Amino acid sequence: MKAAASAHSNLALIKYWGKSNAALNIPAVGSISITLKELSTRTSVEFDPQLNADLLILNESHADPGKEKRVSAFLNLIRQQSGIDHFARVVSQNNYPIGAGLASSASGFAALALAAARAAQLSLSPEQLSILARRGSGSAARSIYGGFVEMKAGKATDGSDSYAVQIADEHHWALNVIVAITTEQEKSIGSTEGMTQTAQTSPYYKDWISSSNADLDEMRAAISQKDFEKLGEISEHSCLKMHGLAMSAKPGILYWNQTTLEIIHAVRELRRQGFACYFTIDAGPQVKILCLPADAQRIEKYVRGIPGVRRTIPTSLGPGAKLIETSS
Ligand code: DP6
């Protein structure tokens, strides 16, 4: 059986950083994200008795062994659940840079979970699919859904209540995001490793966990009231708190470059000039600027002019993961 699926990347407004169980990939805190229309991955999976190992083709090239191993470990979960014992050919196409803090693992594992589950003829509920995607990457659990999405950390030690749910779909509120690319290089330390290092060494890690529910409550309220100022302020707070936490690890983890910092200041300057815009940054040097459609073009033009900004990608809110085709 062969199946193909697409999924979109997502941007965490309330960040996930740290795990309560690394083996099952259970997040230590909940998170809230928006799914992004213009950043997507398309993946096909084919279980083939002729293969003697799993094969990952990423953007038309054979993927490096690290990525292939991670995909293979994920396919083992599918093989366990379905009883299939063939290896698979996975062909994945990303329309944006991989590994540079644009959540390629989110759209990647969400598309892979859906395509692989269908190719293996597993019939999963959206919650089960989100749990499966989480095993590939925590943020991927959120890319199963479109619009505004909350990932529940859950309480069960087996991770059975640690999945994402949709808060509101992509039509609830027209938000725009301008992604400012400051470098196309892969980041130096991946989020999985960065989280472990932070949890083990940061003196602030406990406070990060205990302060997370208040942020989630405020963000849920901002989304339901469509209060952009509130949404933006809590987003910046969660972003700076996460990066401050990572910086406080030993050795400190610093994802930003000079241009990242230039953009942060530029966004705050634009706000002083009366533009409603806020920044957020994930585990990489790119900056995502949240704004409303009326201001998006002017803000993008301004950001494109900041020295060091290589290009910008404007995007709006997008849908959840979808099957594209299946065949036997
Ligand atoms: C900073 O989902 O990439 O983007 O579960 O180890 O694969 P793993 O981590 P990942 O971490 C995302 C971290 C973040 C914040 C977020 O998306 O919530």
Side-chain angles (χ1 to χ4, degrees):
M1 271 290 283
K2 182 175 177 182
S6 72
H8 296 259
S9 174
N10 70 72
L11 173 59
L13 304 178
I14 302 296
K15 306 292 185 195
Y16 144 52
W17 198 253
K19 302 169 197 276
S20 64
N21 181 326
L24 295 175
N25 210 29
I26 305 175
V29 291
S31 52
I32 293 180
S33 62
I34 47 179
T35 303
L36 303 177
K37 191 173 176 184
E38 269 71 27
L39 308 184
S40 66
T41 304
R42 183 194 191 282
T43 299
S44 70
V45 176
E46 183 173 19
F47 289 97
D48 182 348
Q50 314 283 349
L51 291 173
N52 50 24
D54 290 318
L55 178 68
L56 172 62
I57 307 291
L58 196 52
N59 291 351
E60 273 131 43
S61 311
H62 191 174
D64 67 57
K67 288 198 177 73
E68 199 167 58
K69 222 171 123 195
R70 191 168 172 188
V71 164
S72 194
F74 183 81
L75 291 169
N76 286 340
L77 300 172
I78 303 275
R79 282 186 278 261
Q80 273 159 25
Q81 285 188 34
S82 64
I84 290 181
D85 59 1
H86 304 317
F87 291 108
R89 183 179 300 101
V90 177
V91 180
S92 193
Q93 194 72 34
N94 232 50
N95 74 348
Y96 62 96
I98 295 174
L102 291 183
S104 54
S105 66
S107 55
F109 279 101
L112 178 65
L114 184 55
R118 174 53 77 99
Q121 293 178 314
L122 289 174
S123 73
L124 302 179
S125 66
E127 287 81 9
Q128 288 168 324
L129 192 61
S130 177
I131 288 174
L132 181 63
R134 185 201 81 216
R135 298 290 300 271
S137 181
S139 52
R142 301 185 307 236
S143 275
I144 298 300
Y145 302 96
F148 299 82
V149 182
E150 176 166 1
M151 175 71 191
K152 308 273 183 193
K155 291 197 168 66
T157 50
D158 66 355
S160 55
D161 59 356
S162 177
Y163 52 77
V165 294
Q166 189 176 56
I167 297 176
D169 73 14
E170 60 271 35
H171 309 293
H172 166 69
W173 187 11
L175 293 186
N176 281 186
V177 176
I178 296 155
V179 181
I181 309 282
T182 64
T183 170
E184 310 257 349
Q185 276 171 5
E186 293 220 6
K187 59 199 173 200
S188 51
I189 171 163
S191 33
T192 308
E193 200 188 335
M195 284 186 207
T196 310
Q197 194 167 309
T198 305
Q200 286 171 353
T201 61
S202 168
Y204 306 143
Y205 189 65
K206 274 202 189 79
D207 294 335
W208 162 256
I209 309 258
S210 63
S211 63
S212 112
N213 276 340
D215 295 344
L216 292 165
D217 290 346
E218 271 196 76
M219 183 54 79
R220 256 182 253 113
I223 292 169
S224 88
Q225 292 154 12
K226 300 188 190 171
D227 183 337
F228 186 65
E229 199 180 315
K230 192 164 172 178
L231 176 137
E233 277 171 6
I234 322 158
S235 297
E236 277 193 9
H237 171 68
S238 176
C239 162
L240 291 176
K241 193 162 61 162
M242 183 210 110
H243 284 274
L245 177 74
M247 286 178 207
S248 74
K250 269 189 187 164
I253 301 164
L254 186 53
Y255 286 112
W256 303 350
N257 58 31
Q258 285 91 326
T259 311
T260 314
L261 209 50
E262 288 290 333
I263 303 169
I264 290 177
H265 287 297
V267 167
R268 291 196 159 171
E269 174 54 31
L270 279 167
R271 267 213 310 275
R272 278 190 287 274
Q273 291 176 21
F275 288 96
C277 57
Y278 297 85
F279 63 82
T280 184
I281 305 156
D282 288 308
Q286 329 296 7
V287 183
K288 292 96 177 194
I289 299 148
L290 301 158
C291 61
L292 295 167
D295 295 330
Q297 276 187 347
R298 284 168 73 193
I299 294 171
E300 187 182 4
K301 197 168 163 226
Y302 185 95
V303 171
R304 233 188 289 133
I306 298 170
V309 172
R310 298 176 76 98
R311 65 190 174 107
T312 50
I313 309 172
T315 179
S316 51
L317 302 194
K322 280 194 183 72
L323 273 174
I324 302 169
E325 58 184 57
T326 52
S327 59
S328 33

